[in-house]
Amino acid sequence: MSQVTVESTRDRILAEALALFASKGYDATSMREIAEQVGLTKAALYYHFTGKETIAAALLGDFIERVRDLSEWARAHSDHDLAVVRSEVLTRWADVVQAQGLQLSRFIAANRTLLGQLPNIDLRAATEELQTILAPPQTSVEDRLRVRMSLASIHLASIFSVGIDAAQDDILAAA
């Protein structure tokens, strides 16, 4: 099997699993349903992922990697005008959230317990690192809170936008 096929199959599995997790819930979604949605046999699905937990870990791992990349960018530019860096980070944060769609943010919000059970998945640490770069401990409480609320508002747009008839890009731009 070529690398292109493996990657595109992996990506399709992740996209369909996320759609099912978002619509039915993580616990109510079976590996069989994911396989059917992707057009694979269960055996083929298990070739790519050993279970729902590994699918969830892959979804979240990709997101965390993007957050870490953003933290590295922010750290590399921390000697620049902080207001400009913060503004650019918010724009890039919206891109990170958008990369996997609003469904991932909804999945994260609905499955906090699961997040704590997945090995090597520490979303909180990744986001706290970014927050600390943008507002170090010596920064005022107001600035630290403003940074956290700004990042959270973009993330929470996925939850509060349910039922709003608008494109994902428009929702994130408004957030």
Side-chain angles (χ1 to χ4, degrees), residues 28-115:
T29 301
S30 69
M31 289 293 279
R32 177 191 54 77
E33 289 172 301
I34 296 169
E36 287 174 359
Q37 195 68 28
V38 179
L40 297 173
T41 64
K42 270 180 58 176
L45 178 60
Y46 279 105
Y47 170 79
H48 294 278
F49 295 98
T50 59
K52 286 193 313 183
E53 298 81 11
T54 57
I55 293 172
L59 287 166
L60 295 167
D62 290 348
F63 181 75
I64 289 171
E65 187 61 36
R66 287 182 177 98
V67 173
R68 288 184 180 140
D69 290 346
L70 182 54
S71 292
E72 287 178 26
W73 182 90
R75 189 177 297 105
H77 292 83
S78 61
D79 61 340
H80 294 77
D81 179 4
L82 190 55
V84 172
V85 171
R86 285 177 178 163
S87 178
E88 180 62 22
V89 165
L90 287 176
T91 299
R92 290 175 182 232
W93 177 255
D95 292 343
V96 166
V97 171
Q98 184 178 0
Q100 288 176 295
L102 296 175
Q103 290 177 328
L104 183 67
S105 294
R106 291 178 184 142
F107 172 72
I108 290 169
N111 293 283
R112 289 300 206 188
T113 303
L114 173 67
L115 269 60

Side-chain angles (χ1 to χ4, degrees), residues 102 106 156-168 171:
L102 296 175
R106 291 178 184 142
L156 290 173
S158 64
I159 297 163
F160 296 117
S161 65
V162 172
I164 295 176
D165 185 24
Q168 175 176 284
I171 290 168

